[in-house]
Amino acid sequence: MDKIKVAVNGYGTIGKRIADAVSLQKDMEIVGVSKTKPNFEAFMALEKGYSVYSPSEKIKKMKEAGIEVSGSIEDMIGKADIIVDCTPGGVGEKNKPIYEDANVKVIWQGGEDHELAGFSFNAIANYEEAIGKDLARVVSCNTTGLCRVLYPLDKEFGVKKARVSLLRRAADPGDIKTGPINAIVPNPVKLPSHHGPDVKSVMPHIDITTTAVKLPTTLMHVHIVNAELATECNEDDIKSLLGGQSRIKFVGQGVSSTAEVMEMSRDMLRPRSDMWENCLWEDSVSIYDNELYFFQAIHQESIVVPDNIDAIRAMMEIEGEGTQSIEKTNRSMGIV
Amino acid sequence: MDKIKVAVNGYGTIGKRIADAVSLQKDMEIVGVSKTKPNFEAFMALEKGYSVYSPSEKIKKMKEAGIEVSGSIEDMIGKADIIVDCTPGGVGEKNKPIYEDANVKVIWQGGEDHELAGFSFNAIANYEEAIGKDLARVVSCNTTGLCRVLYPLDKEFGVKKARVSLLRRAADPGDIKTGPINAIVPNPVKLPSHHGPDVKSVMPHIDITTTAVKLPTTLMHVHIVNAELATECNEDDIKSLLGGQSRIKFVGQGVSSTAEVMEMSRDMLRPRSDMWENCLWEDSVSIYDNELYFFQAIHQESIVVPDNIDAIRAMMEIEGEGTQSIEKTNRSMGIV
């Protein structure tokens, strides 16, 4: 079988990680990545052996800066079976016409609206619905993290209602443009936040309310999850269920903060010190007054990467079962 | 009527603020404050005209450093009708025997256990219960902030259940000893946190569950409050109720974070740029799926100060009604 030809439009925080993860798969390959600026990421893409493409009007500038450009974005799209659009939120929408012209399959990221693709994806929650689809949107890091816990909880015990406080990092570690640097920012101030409806874009029947703040930290998000379940169960039942999920990692052993979670990912020698799994504090799992509570940390830069790989397999119909694709992706990336 | 003689044992973050607030009252005066170290706070206490006392074994060292010491802690206690103990959490308990020997009334702070005083105080929630008491504990900043909103909500609409995420500042602005500096720390990891039971020490019948994290910020705590109410009501009802409370301040007008709340307190020319009121984002008040949600910011260094003043009045029986004492305290401090 020929390998699926994948192009990554937007080789930034998410795009570069997806390109590397695609390269690890036996059933797919990268045919090109796009950059609009001749920065270190563009040079490193070339060093890794990726063909770099640019918008036509930027090619001259890129070449002048020393980047060997293989062609325009349209040229790149012409070589691909499927595009993973990792351009900044809102830009992905503007790219839709060129994808339509090329009649190519597209995966957008969570920064775009659900309506753009008409289908929102999370590997564990709705892989099978994605099979053969031409357009999909892999939901954001926060929504991915919530789907990974709410889907099994709902399947096993029924989620009557979930209430989640989302504690969001202000900026990524390599980003110097934004704050806050010493404040807590209710964001959005108007409640509830859009994250609840975003979970419903994957699991429409879930009753969920979310609130969110922005914080002066760069490492990870933290979710404080509260859920009323339809079936009586105890803490061991919850730990056994969630601990059995391949993309949920229990943390403890002196890991008391997001800083130590990231230190652990560095010690695991993960590429870019990424953490693709939800990191759930086992000691925090509590049933109190008949309601479930726990803390989990979400690595915003990398958590959606394996789900993008699975979305490619489903849309390209090279794997009919979610569990099979998830296992292939996990094995290739080293998620155990 | 003679003024009530108040001594502040522990002239630190809370103690120095209470000393200044006592000095503003017509019905009380400071007879002494205590310091164990000859730092800038001790020198500034003398400059303000406070008599400074020290533990006997420290007096020599204090004098050598240039601090004019008026006597021992026991000497200070002997001059007072009531002691406000603002020593670090846990130290207040060790001081109990010297207070008992002197047969003096004592107010401890929220860092001590409820059992030490056997009575926990919040001015709006249980002023009348404090009248004539010999021992009381003014609850912590977080608990004070919660009592101020939950008490009126419960009285007016009935609180069936409250769930609160407490987002705590890591350290006070003048504290350089602690972190985190770039992380989110579930704290405590084991859920629920002790803050819920602490609210019950003032309002035993309230059903409340709390979770808490520590964050890399110094300015204020933020509470994400969720409450199921027993009576149907709308957002305007809530705003009208909470907006009518003298120690709750609605914020908006471009105040989008704790940093801007603090900037506002600086512009108000408040002493030490303190914010004694709960700062509640009016735009965040929402009824969603029949449950109330809102954000409030709590200035950990100063919010308990007016409640300490009211506790003195109740315990010394110089004001029989909470509303009267609160109004006196507010007027003296400039809380409108």
Coordinates of all heavy atoms in Angstrom, one line a residue, chain A residues 161 163 165 167 182-186 188-192 207 209 211-213 215-222 224 226 228 256-259 281 283-284 286 288-289 291 293-295, chain B residues 161 163 165 167 182-186 188-192 207 209 211-213 215-220 222 224 226 228 256-259 281 283-284 286 288-289 291 293-295:
Chain A
K161 N -23.9 15.4 34.9 CA -23.5 16.8 34.7 C -22.0 17.0 35.1 O -21.6 16.4 36.1 CB -24.3 17.7 35.6 CG -23.9 19.2 35.5 CD -24.9 20.1 36.1 CE -24.6 21.5 35.8 NZ -25.1 22.0 34.5
R163 N -18.9 19.9 35.7 CA -18.6 21.3 35.9 C -17.1 21.3 36.0 O -16.5 20.7 36.8 CB -19.2 21.8 37.2 CG -20.7 21.8 37.3 CD -21.1 22.2 38.7 NE -22.6 21.9 38.9 CZ -23.0 20.7 39.3 NH1 -22.2 19.7 39.5 NH2 -24.3 20.5 39.4
S165 N -13.5 23.8 36.0 CA -12.7 25.0 36.0 C -11.4 24.8 35.2 O -10.7 23.9 35.6 CB -12.4 25.4 37.5 OG -13.5 25.6 38.2
L167 N -7.9 26.1 34.1 CA -6.9 27.0 34.6 C -5.8 27.0 33.4 O -5.1 26.1 33.3 CB -6.3 26.6 35.9 CG -7.3 26.1 37.0 CD1 -6.6 25.8 38.3 CD2 -8.4 27.2 37.2
N182 N 1.8 38.6 36.3 CA 1.5 38.5 37.8 C 0.1 38.8 38.1 O -0.2 39.7 38.8 CB 2.5 39.4 38.6 CG 2.3 39.2 40.1 OD1 1.8 38.1 40.5 ND2 2.6 40.2 40.9
A183 N -0.8 38.0 37.5 CA -2.2 38.2 37.8 C -3.0 37.0 37.4 O -2.5 36.1 36.7 CB -2.7 39.4 36.9
I184 N -4.2 37.0 37.9 CA -5.2 36.0 37.5 C -6.3 36.7 36.7 O -6.8 37.7 37.1 CB -5.9 35.3 38.8 CG1 -4.8 34.7 39.6 CG2 -6.9 34.3 38.4 CD1 -5.3 34.2 41.0
V185 N -6.5 36.2 35.5 CA -7.5 36.8 34.5 C -8.7 35.9 34.3 O -8.6 34.9 33.6 CB -6.8 37.1 33.2 CG1 -7.7 37.9 32.3 CG2 -5.4 37.7 33.4
P186 N -9.8 36.3 34.8 CA -11.1 35.6 34.4 C -11.2 35.8 32.9 O -11.2 36.9 32.5 CB -12.2 36.3 35.2 CG -11.5 37.0 36.4 CD -10.1 37.3 35.8
P188 N -13.2 33.7 29.6 CA -13.9 35.0 29.5 C -14.6 35.3 30.9 O -14.8 34.4 31.7 CB -15.0 34.7 28.5 CG -15.2 33.2 28.7 CD -13.9 32.6 29.0
V189 N -14.8 36.6 31.1 CA -15.5 37.1 32.3 C -16.9 36.6 32.3 O -17.5 36.2 33.3 CB -15.4 38.6 32.4 CG1 -16.4 39.1 33.5 CG2 -14.0 39.0 32.8
K190 N -17.5 36.7 31.1 CA -18.9 36.2 31.0 C -19.0 34.7 31.0 O -18.2 34.0 30.3 CB -19.5 36.7 29.7 CG -19.9 38.2 29.7 CD -20.8 38.6 28.6 CE -20.9 40.1 28.4 NZ -21.7 40.8 29.5
L191 N -19.8 34.2 31.8 CA -19.9 32.8 32.1 C -21.2 32.2 31.5 O -22.2 32.9 31.3 CB -19.9 32.5 33.6 CG -18.5 32.9 34.2 CD1 -18.6 32.7 35.7 CD2 -17.4 32.0 33.6
P192 N -21.2 30.9 31.1 CA -20.0 30.0 31.1 C -19.1 30.2 29.9 O -19.4 31.0 29.1 CB -20.7 28.6 31.0 CG -21.9 28.8 30.3 CD -22.4 30.2 30.7
D207 N -23.9 17.0 29.4 CA -24.3 18.2 30.1 C -23.0 18.8 30.8 O -22.6 18.2 31.8 CB -25.4 17.9 31.1 CG -25.9 19.1 31.8 OD1 -25.4 20.2 31.5 OD2 -26.9 19.0 32.6
T209 N -20.7 22.4 32.1 CA -20.6 23.8 32.2 C -19.1 24.1 32.6 O -18.5 23.5 33.4 CB -21.4 24.4 33.4 OG1 -22.8 23.9 33.2 CG2 -21.4 25.9 33.4
T211 N -15.8 27.1 33.2 CA -15.4 28.4 33.5 C -13.9 28.4 33.3 O -13.2 27.3 33.4 CB -15.6 28.8 35.0 OG1 -15.0 27.8 35.8 CG2 -17.1 28.8 35.3
A212 N -13.3 29.6 33.0 CA -11.9 29.6 32.7 C -11.2 30.8 33.1 O -11.8 31.9 33.1 CB -11.7 29.4 31.1
V213 N -9.9 30.7 33.5 CA -9.0 31.8 33.8 C -7.7 31.7 33.1 O -7.3 30.5 32.7 CB -8.8 31.9 35.3 CG1 -10.0 32.1 36.1 CG2 -8.0 30.7 35.8
L215 N -3.6 32.4 33.4 CA -2.6 32.5 34.6 C -1.2 32.7 34.1 O -0.8 32.4 33.0 CB -2.6 31.1 35.3 CG -4.0 30.7 35.8 CD1 -3.9 29.3 36.4 CD2 -4.5 31.7 36.9
P216 N -0.4 33.3 35.0 CA 1.0 33.6 34.6 C 1.9 32.4 34.7 O 2.8 32.3 35.5 CB 1.4 34.7 35.7 CG 0.5 34.4 36.9 CD -0.8 33.8 36.3
T217 N 1.7 31.5 33.8 CA 2.5 30.3 33.7 C 2.5 29.8 32.3 O 1.5 30.1 31.5 CB 2.0 29.2 34.6 OG1 2.8 28.0 34.5 CG2 0.6 28.8 34.4
T218 N 3.5 29.1 31.8 CA 3.6 28.8 30.4 C 3.5 27.2 30.2 O 3.4 26.8 29.1 CB 5.0 29.2 29.8 OG1 6.0 28.6 30.6 CG2 5.2 30.7 29.9
L219 N 3.6 26.5 31.3 CA 3.9 25.0 31.1 C 2.7 24.2 30.6 O 2.8 23.5 29.6 CB 4.5 24.5 32.4 CG 5.7 25.1 32.9 CD1 6.2 24.5 34.2 CD2 6.8 25.1 31.9
M220 N 1.6 24.2 31.4 CA 0.5 23.4 31.1 C -0.8 24.1 31.6 O -0.8 24.9 32.4 CB 0.6 22.0 31.8 CG 1.9 21.2 31.6 SD 1.9 19.6 32.5 CE 1.1 18.6 31.3
H221 N -1.9 23.6 31.1 CA -3.2 23.9 31.7 C -3.5 22.9 32.8 O -3.0 21.8 32.8 CB -4.4 23.7 30.7 CG -4.2 24.5 29.4 ND1 -4.1 25.8 29.3 CD2 -4.3 24.1 28.1 CE1 -4.0 26.2 28.1 NE2 -4.2 25.2 27.3
V222 N -4.4 23.3 33.7 CA -4.9 22.4 34.7 C -6.4 22.4 34.7 O -7.0 23.5 34.6 CB -4.4 22.7 36.1 CG1 -5.2 21.9 37.2 CG2 -2.9 22.3 36.2
I224 N -9.8 21.5 36.9 CA -10.5 21.0 38.1 C -11.8 20.4 37.6 O -12.7 21.2 37.2 CB -10.7 22.1 39.1 CG1 -9.4 22.8 39.4 CG2 -11.2 21.5 40.4 CD1 -9.5 24.0 40.4
N226 N -15.3 18.4 38.1 CA -16.4 17.9 39.0 C -17.4 17.2 38.1 O -17.8 17.8 37.1 CB -17.0 19.1 39.7 CG -18.4 18.8 40.3 OD1 -19.4 19.3 39.8 ND2 -18.5 17.9 41.3
E228 N -21.1 14.8 38.2 CA -22.1 13.9 38.8 C -22.4 12.8 37.9 O -22.6 13.0 36.7 CB -23.5 14.7 39.0 CG -23.3 15.9 40.0 CD -24.7 16.6 40.1 OE1 -25.7 16.0 40.3 OE2 -24.6 17.9 40.0
S256 N 4.0 17.3 42.2 CA 3.0 18.1 42.9 C 2.5 19.3 42.1 O 1.7 20.0 42.5 CB 3.6 18.6 44.2 OG 4.6 19.6 44.0
S257 N 3.1 19.5 40.9 CA 2.7 20.6 40.1 C 3.0 20.4 38.6 O 3.6 19.3 38.3 CB 3.5 21.9 40.5 OG 4.9 21.7 40.0
T258 N 2.5 21.3 37.8 CA 2.8 21.2 36.3 C 4.3 21.2 36.0 O 4.7 20.6 35.1 CB 2.1 22.3 35.6 OG1 2.4 23.5 36.2 CG2 0.6 22.1 35.6
A259 N 5.0 21.9 36.9 CA 6.5 22.0 36.7 C 7.1 20.6 36.8 O 8.0 20.3 36.0 CB 7.1 23.0 37.7
W281 N -3.8 13.5 38.5 CA -3.3 13.2 39.9 C -4.1 12.2 40.5 O -5.3 12.4 40.9 CB -3.3 14.5 40.7 CG -2.0 15.3 40.5 CD1 -0.8 15.2 41.2 CD2 -1.8 16.4 39.6 NE1 0.1 16.1 40.8 CE2 -0.5 16.9 39.8 CE3 -2.6 17.0 38.7 CZ2 0.1 17.9 39.1 CZ3 -2.1 18.1 37.9 CH2 -0.8 18.5 38.1
D283 N -4.0 10.8 43.4 CA -4.5 11.1 44.7 C -5.6 12.1 44.8 O -6.3 12.2 45.8 CB -3.3 11.7 45.6 CG -2.4 10.7 46.1 OD1 -2.7 9.5 46.0 OD2 -1.3 11.1 46.6
S284 N -5.9 12.8 43.7 CA -7.0 13.8 43.7 C -8.3 13.2 43.4 O -9.3 13.8 43.6 CB -6.7 14.9 42.7 OG -6.9 14.4 41.3
S286 N -11.5 11.8 43.9 CA -12.4 11.7 45.1 C -13.8 11.7 44.7 O -14.3 12.3 43.8 CB -12.2 13.0 46.0 OG -10.8 13.1 46.3
Y288 N -17.0 12.8 46.6 CA -17.4 13.5 47.8 C -18.8 14.0 47.7 O -19.2 14.6 46.6 CB -16.4 14.7 48.0 CG -16.7 15.5 49.3 CD1 -16.3 15.1 50.5 CD2 -17.4 16.7 49.2 CE1 -16.5 15.8 51.6 CE2 -17.7 17.5 50.3 CZ -17.2 17.0 51.6 OH -17.5 17.7 52.7
D289 N -19.7 13.7 48.6 CA -21.1 14.1 48.5 C -21.6 13.5 47.2 O -22.4 14.2 46.5 CB -21.2 15.6 48.6 CG -22.5 16.1 49.1 OD1 -23.3 15.2 49.6 OD2 -22.8 17.3 49.0
E291 N -20.3 13.1 44.4 CA -19.8 13.7 43.2 C -18.3 13.4 43.0 O -17.6 13.4 44.0 CB -20.1 15.2 43.1 CG -21.6 15.5 43.2 CD -21.9 17.0 43.2 OE1 -21.0 17.8 42.9 OE2 -23.0 17.4 43.4
Y293 N -14.5 14.3 41.8 CA -13.6 15.4 41.7 C -12.2 14.9 41.3 O -11.8 13.9 41.9 CB -13.5 16.3 43.0 CG -14.7 17.0 43.4 CD1 -15.7 16.4 44.1 CD2 -14.9 18.4 43.0 CE1 -16.9 17.1 44.5 CE2 -16.0 19.1 43.4 CZ -17.0 18.4 44.1 OH -18.1 19.1 44.5
F294 N -11.5 15.6 40.4 CA -10.1 15.3 40.3 C -9.4 16.5 39.5 O -10.1 17.3 39.0 CB -9.8 14.0 39.5 CG -10.4 13.9 38.1 CD1 -9.7 14.4 37.0 CD2 -11.7 13.4 37.9 CE1 -10.2 14.3 35.7 CE2 -12.2 13.3 36.6 CZ -11.5 13.8 35.5
F295 N -8.1 16.5 39.6 CA -7.2 17.4 38.9 C -6.5 16.7 37.7 O -6.0 15.6 37.9 CB -6.1 17.9 39.8 CG -6.5 18.8 40.9 CD1 -6.3 18.4 42.2 CD2 -6.9 20.1 40.7 CE1 -6.6 19.2 43.3 CE2 -7.2 21.0 41.7 CZ -7.1 20.5 43.1
Chain B
K161 N -26.4 24.0 47.5 CA -25.0 23.4 47.4 C -24.1 24.4 46.7 O -24.5 25.0 45.7 CB -25.0 22.1 46.6 CG -23.6 21.5 46.5 CD -23.6 20.1 46.0 CE -22.2 19.5 46.1 NZ -21.9 18.9 47.4
R163 N -20.1 24.9 45.1 CA -18.8 24.3 44.7 C -17.9 25.4 44.3 O -18.3 26.3 43.5 CB -19.1 23.4 43.5 CG -20.0 22.2 43.8 CD -20.3 21.5 42.5 NE -21.4 20.5 42.6 CZ -22.7 20.9 42.5 NH1 -23.0 22.1 42.2 NH2 -23.6 20.0 42.6
S165 N -13.9 26.7 43.3 CA -12.5 26.5 42.9 C -11.8 27.7 43.4 O -12.0 28.9 43.0 CB -12.3 26.4 41.4 OG -13.0 25.3 40.9
L167 N -8.4 29.8 43.6 CA -7.2 30.0 42.8 C -6.3 30.9 43.7 O -6.6 32.1 43.8 CB -7.5 30.6 41.5 CG -8.6 30.0 40.7 CD1 -8.8 30.6 39.3 CD2 -8.5 28.4 40.6
N182 N 6.6 29.3 38.0 CA 6.0 29.1 36.7 C 5.3 27.7 36.7 O 5.7 26.8 36.0 CB 7.0 29.1 35.6 CG 6.5 28.9 34.2 OD1 5.3 29.2 34.0 ND2 7.3 28.5 33.3
A183 N 4.3 27.6 37.5 CA 3.6 26.3 37.5 C 2.2 26.5 38.2 O 2.0 27.5 38.8 CB 4.4 25.3 38.3
I184 N 1.4 25.5 38.0 CA 0.1 25.4 38.7 C 0.2 24.2 39.7 O 0.6 23.1 39.3 CB -1.1 25.1 37.7 CG1 -1.1 26.3 36.7 CG2 -2.4 25.0 38.4 CD1 -2.1 26.0 35.5
V185 N -0.1 24.5 40.9 CA 0.1 23.4 42.0 C -1.3 23.1 42.6 O -1.8 23.9 43.3 CB 1.0 24.0 43.1 CG1 1.3 22.8 44.1 CG2 2.3 24.6 42.5
P186 N -1.8 21.9 42.2 CA -3.0 21.4 43.0 C -2.6 21.4 44.4 O -1.7 20.7 44.8 CB -3.2 20.0 42.4 CG -2.6 20.0 41.0 CD -1.4 20.9 41.2
P188 N -4.6 21.5 48.3 CA -4.1 20.1 48.4 C -4.5 19.3 47.2 O -5.5 19.5 46.6 CB -4.7 19.6 49.7 CG -6.1 20.3 49.7 CD -5.8 21.7 49.2
V189 N -3.6 18.2 46.9 CA -4.0 17.3 45.9 C -5.2 16.5 46.3 O -6.1 16.2 45.5 CB -2.8 16.4 45.5 CG1 -3.2 15.2 44.7 CG2 -1.7 17.1 44.8
K190 N -5.2 16.1 47.5 CA -6.4 15.3 48.0 C -7.6 16.2 48.1 O -7.5 17.3 48.7 CB -6.1 14.6 49.3 CG -5.1 13.4 49.2 CD -5.1 12.5 50.4 CE -4.0 11.6 50.5 NZ -4.1 10.5 49.5
L191 N -8.7 15.7 47.5 CA -9.9 16.6 47.5 C -11.0 16.0 48.4 O -11.0 14.8 48.7 CB -10.4 16.6 46.1 CG -9.5 17.3 45.1 CD1 -9.9 17.2 43.7 CD2 -9.3 18.8 45.5
P192 N -11.9 16.9 48.9 CA -11.9 18.3 48.7 C -10.9 19.0 49.6 O -10.3 18.4 50.5 CB -13.3 18.7 49.1 CG -13.7 17.6 50.1 CD -13.0 16.4 49.7
D207 N -23.9 23.5 52.6 CA -23.3 22.4 51.9 C -22.4 23.0 50.9 O -22.8 23.6 49.9 CB -24.5 21.6 51.3 CG -24.0 20.4 50.5 OD1 -22.8 20.1 50.6 OD2 -24.8 19.7 50.0
T209 N -18.4 22.4 48.8 CA -17.2 21.6 48.5 C -16.2 22.5 47.8 O -16.6 23.3 46.9 CB -17.6 20.4 47.5 OG1 -18.7 19.7 48.0 CG2 -16.4 19.5 47.3
T211 N -12.2 23.1 46.1 CA -10.9 22.6 45.5 C -10.0 23.8 45.5 O -10.4 25.0 45.4 CB -11.1 22.0 44.1 OG1 -11.7 23.0 43.3 CG2 -12.0 20.8 44.2
A212 N -8.7 23.6 45.5 CA -7.7 24.7 45.5 C -6.4 24.4 44.8 O -6.0 23.3 44.8 CB -7.4 25.1 47.0
V213 N -5.9 25.5 44.2 CA -4.6 25.4 43.5 C -3.8 26.6 44.0 O -4.3 27.6 44.4 CB -4.7 25.4 42.0 CG1 -5.4 24.2 41.5 CG2 -5.3 26.7 41.5
L215 N -0.8 29.3 42.7 CA -0.5 29.9 41.4 C 0.7 30.9 41.5 O 0.9 31.5 42.5 CB -1.7 30.6 40.8 CG -2.9 29.8 40.6 CD1 -4.1 30.7 40.1 CD2 -2.7 28.7 39.6
P216 N 1.4 31.0 40.4 CA 2.6 32.0 40.4 C 2.1 33.4 40.2 O 2.4 34.1 39.3 CB 3.4 31.5 39.1 CG 2.4 30.9 38.2 CD 1.3 30.3 39.1
T217 N 1.5 33.9 41.3 CA 1.1 35.3 41.3 C 1.0 35.7 42.8 O 0.9 34.9 43.6 CB -0.3 35.5 40.6 OG1 -0.7 36.9 40.7 CG2 -1.4 34.7 41.2
T218 N 1.2 37.0 43.0 CA 1.3 37.5 44.4 C 0.1 38.4 44.8 O 0.0 38.7 46.0 CB 2.6 38.3 44.6 OG1 2.5 39.5 43.7 CG2 3.8 37.5 44.4
L219 N -0.7 38.8 43.8 CA -1.6 39.9 44.1 C -2.8 39.6 44.9 O -3.1 40.2 45.9 CB -2.0 40.6 42.8 CG -0.8 41.1 42.0 CD1 -1.3 41.7 40.6 CD2 0.0 42.2 42.7
M220 N -3.6 38.6 44.4 CA -4.9 38.3 45.0 C -5.3 36.8 44.7 O -4.7 36.2 43.8 CB -6.1 39.2 44.4 CG -5.8 40.7 44.5 SD -7.3 41.6 43.8 CE -8.3 41.7 45.2
V222 N -8.4 34.3 43.5 CA -9.7 34.4 42.8 C -10.5 33.2 43.1 O -10.0 32.1 43.2 CB -9.4 34.5 41.2 CG1 -10.7 34.2 40.4 CG2 -8.9 35.8 40.8
I224 N -13.8 30.9 41.8 CA -14.8 30.6 40.8 C -15.9 29.9 41.6 O -15.7 28.8 42.2 CB -14.3 29.6 39.8 CG1 -13.0 30.1 39.1 CG2 -15.3 29.4 38.7 CD1 -12.4 29.2 38.1
N226 N -19.7 28.4 42.2 CA -20.9 27.8 41.6 C -21.8 27.5 42.8 O -21.4 27.0 43.8 CB -20.5 26.5 40.9 CG -21.6 25.5 40.7 OD1 -21.7 24.5 41.3 ND2 -22.6 25.9 39.8
E228 N -25.9 26.1 43.7 CA -27.3 25.8 43.4 C -28.2 26.5 44.5 O -27.9 26.3 45.7 CB -27.5 24.3 43.5 CG -26.8 23.5 42.4 CD -27.0 22.0 42.5 OE1 -28.2 21.6 42.6 OE2 -26.0 21.3 42.4
S256 N -10.0 43.7 34.1 CA -10.1 42.3 33.5 C -9.3 41.3 34.3 O -9.3 40.1 34.0 CB -9.6 42.3 32.1 OG -8.2 42.5 32.0
S257 N -8.5 41.7 35.3 CA -7.7 40.8 36.1 C -7.4 41.3 37.5 O -7.7 42.5 37.8 CB -6.3 40.7 35.4 OG -5.5 41.8 35.6
T258 N -6.8 40.5 38.3 CA -6.4 40.9 39.6 C -5.4 42.1 39.6 O -5.4 42.9 40.5 CB -5.8 39.8 40.4 OG1 -4.7 39.2 39.7 CG2 -6.8 38.7 40.7
A259 N -4.6 42.1 38.5 CA -3.6 43.2 38.4 C -4.3 44.6 38.3 O -3.9 45.6 39.0 CB -2.7 43.0 37.2
W281 N -16.7 40.3 39.8 CA -16.9 40.8 38.4 C -18.4 40.7 38.1 O -19.0 39.6 37.9 CB -16.1 39.9 37.4 CG -14.7 40.4 37.3 CD1 -14.3 41.3 36.4 CD2 -13.5 40.0 38.0 NE1 -12.9 41.5 36.5 CE2 -12.4 40.7 37.5 CE3 -13.3 39.1 39.0 CZ2 -11.1 40.6 38.0 CZ3 -12.0 38.9 39.5 CH2 -11.0 39.7 39.0
D283 N -20.0 41.3 35.4 CA -20.3 40.6 34.1 C -20.3 39.1 34.3 O -20.8 38.4 33.4 CB -19.3 41.1 33.0 CG -19.7 42.4 32.4 OD1 -20.8 42.9 32.7 OD2 -18.9 43.0 31.7
S284 N -19.6 38.6 35.3 CA -19.5 37.2 35.4 C -20.7 36.5 36.1 O -20.9 35.3 36.0 CB -18.2 36.8 36.2 OG -18.4 37.1 37.6
S286 N -23.8 34.8 36.4 CA -24.6 34.1 35.5 C -25.4 33.0 36.1 O -25.0 32.4 37.0 CB -23.7 33.4 34.4 OG -22.8 34.3 33.8
Y288 N -26.9 29.7 34.8 CA -26.8 28.8 33.7 C -27.2 27.4 34.1 O -26.7 26.9 35.1 CB -25.3 28.7 33.2 CG -25.1 27.9 32.0 CD1 -25.5 28.4 30.7 CD2 -24.6 26.6 32.0 CE1 -25.3 27.6 29.6 CE2 -24.5 25.8 30.9 CZ -24.8 26.4 29.7 OH -24.6 25.6 28.5
D289 N -28.2 26.9 33.4 CA -28.7 25.5 33.7 C -29.2 25.6 35.2 O -28.9 24.6 36.0 CB -27.6 24.5 33.5 CG -28.1 23.1 33.3 OD1 -29.4 23.0 33.1 OD2 -27.3 22.1 33.3
E291 N -28.1 27.2 37.7 CA -27.1 27.3 38.8 C -26.4 28.6 38.6 O -26.2 29.1 37.5 CB -26.0 26.2 38.7 CG -26.7 24.8 38.9 CD -25.7 23.6 38.8 OE1 -24.5 23.9 38.8 OE2 -26.1 22.5 38.8
Y293 N -23.2 31.2 38.8 CA -21.7 31.2 38.6 C -21.2 32.6 38.7 O -21.9 33.5 38.2 CB -21.3 30.7 37.3 CG -21.5 29.2 37.1 CD1 -22.8 28.7 36.6 CD2 -20.5 28.3 37.3 CE1 -23.0 27.3 36.4 CE2 -20.7 26.9 37.1 CZ -21.9 26.4 36.7 OH -22.1 25.1 36.5
F294 N -20.1 32.8 39.4 CA -19.4 34.1 39.3 C -18.0 34.0 39.7 O -17.6 33.0 40.3 CB -20.1 35.2 40.1 CG -20.2 35.0 41.6 CD1 -19.2 35.4 42.4 CD2 -21.3 34.4 42.1 CE1 -19.3 35.2 43.8 CE2 -21.4 34.2 43.5 CZ -20.4 34.6 44.3
F295 N -17.2 35.1 39.3 CA -15.8 35.2 39.7 C -15.7 36.3 40.8 O -16.3 37.4 40.6 CB -14.9 35.7 38.6 CG -14.7 34.7 37.5 CD1 -15.2 34.9 36.2 CD2 -13.9 33.6 37.6 CE1 -15.0 34.1 35.1 CE2 -13.6 32.7 36.6 CZ -14.2 33.0 35.3

